[in-house]
Amino acid sequence: MMEFYQLLKGEFLKQKHSFTWPIALLTPILAGGLSFLNLFIRYDYLIGLGAKEGLSSWNVLLLQHHFMWFLFLPLVVTIFASIVHYIEYKSNSWKNTLALPVSRSKVYLAKWSIVFILSIIMILVNASVLVMVGKILGFPEAVDFILISKYTFYQIAAITSVISIQCFISSEMRNTNIALTIGFVGVASSLFFAQSEKLSKLIPYAHTIYSLPDPTMNNNIALQYGLIFGIAFLVIGIYFFNRKQIC
């Protein structure tokens, strides 16, 4: 356990001067700011429309916000996974990293964990920003912490599959541009796959779309398939990383 802690600590140090932390903090602020402007400009129309459908102001905010966030979140996770592995390729330090008296599985898990932690921080910041947006806009209802907590938890479950598949791709491909392209194409086409629940279950990039706590959404896709694919690709990634030839 101490070995894994030291590896994770090392990963945090490697990211100290990279763009990952600014991206994790600024992306939800940017998305929240855009949602604020959207509701500020069209407040009466959107809140009135939501009221006719039995939605609270917080439901309306999450609904409007989610149409941007389901793209922002997996795109940024794709960038995180690429940067975390690119550092090793750029500095040609894979040999030094793997020469440490620790198993390859722990090295891979440490890199997966730093991407997972950065993603959770981004999701938590996003939830905080949404609460601030609702307070600034003066929603008549009290803060719906249960709704926002559900949204937060569903996102964490859904994004696990994207984290695992992008870490697997990024660890196997020296060319970061290819890993980024695969991720971007997957996210861009996720809305197409989301037209079918059957396809969405099998495409990790589409799981985030189903993380909105809304009766029209099948949240089981985010909860069940996000976690199942997340664990499956994590195991696959560890298996291939243990067999990887480092030159």
Side-chain angles (χ1 to χ4, degrees):
M1 192 63 189
M2 183 55 70
E3 293 172 345
F4 176 74
Y5 170 75
Q6 291 297 336
L7 286 169
L8 189 58
K9 186 179 176 182
E11 291 299 327
F12 274 106
L13 288 175
K14 290 175 186 175
Q15 301 306 318
K16 191 175 179 181
H17 299 295
S18 74
F19 292 109
T20 51
W21 287 106
I23 292 173
L25 298 174
L26 293 177
T27 302
I29 293 174
L30 171 64
L34 292 173
S35 293
F36 169 78
L37 287 176
N38 180 29
L39 262 74
F40 180 75
I41 295 170
R42 303 194 297 160
Y43 186 86
D44 292 335
Y45 170 73
L46 291 173
I47 298 298
L49 190 64
K52 288 180 182 177
E53 298 176 0
L55 301 176
S56 71
S57 304
W58 295 100
N59 286 118
V60 173
L61 173 59
L62 261 61
L63 184 63
Q64 294 295 317
H65 181 75
H66 189 65
F67 281 112
M68 290 183 296
W69 190 243
F70 84 84
L71 290 174
F72 278 30
L73 179 58
L75 282 175
V76 174
V77 167
T78 297
I79 294 170
F80 286 161
S82 297
I83 291 176
V84 165
H85 291 85
Y86 175 67
I87 286 175
E88 304 291 348
Y89 287 115
K90 182 184 177 184
S91 58
N92 201 23
S93 59
W94 270 123
K95 278 188 176 180
N96 294 333
T97 301
L98 297 179
L100 297 172
V102 294
S103 68
R104 285 193 174 200
S105 299
K106 288 179 181 175
V107 172
Y108 187 88
L109 273 174
K111 292 194 172 297
W112 185 92
S113 298
I114 186 71
V115 177
F116 187 68
I117 291 169
L118 286 167
S119 304
I120 288 181
I121 289 172
M122 194 167 68
I123 290 169
L124 292 176
V125 172
N126 181 61
S128 303
V129 170
L130 288 175
V131 171
M132 290 176 61
V133 169
K135 298 292 283 185
I136 293 171
L137 288 172
F139 286 170
E141 305 96 340
V143 178
D144 194 337
F145 285 112
I146 294 177
L147 180 70
I148 293 174
S149 297
K150 280 184 180 178
Y151 188 41
T152 301
F153 180 69
Y154 293 170
Q155 287 174 74
I156 293 173
I159 205 63
T160 305
S161 58
V162 180
I163 293 170
S164 292
I165 193 169
Q166 283 302 133
C167 281
F168 167 54
I169 294 170
S170 298
S171 69
E172 289 297 310
M173 294 187 175
R174 187 182 182 89
N175 190 330
T176 307
N177 291 330
I178 296 176
L180 283 171
T181 301
I182 293 172
F184 287 177
V185 170
V187 174
S189 58
S190 62
L191 193 57
F192 166 76
F193 292 118
Q195 304 301 314
S196 163
E197 286 196 1
K198 289 182 179 178
L199 278 176
S200 299
K201 292 174 182 175
L202 303 175
I203 306 297
Y205 303 100
H207 294 162
T208 315
I209 295 176
Y210 289 87
S211 62
L212 178 68
D214 185 272
T216 62
M217 290 278 184
N218 183 357
N219 297 133
N220 285 330
I221 293 177
L223 287 170
Q224 295 176 1
Y225 289 88
L227 292 174
I228 290 171
F229 274 81
I231 294 170
F233 276 105
L234 175 58
V235 173
I236 291 170
I238 291 173
Y239 174 78
F240 279 94
F241 189 71
N242 281 327
R243 297 168 61 88
K244 185 178 177 64
Q245 296 292 325
I246 305 295
C247 301

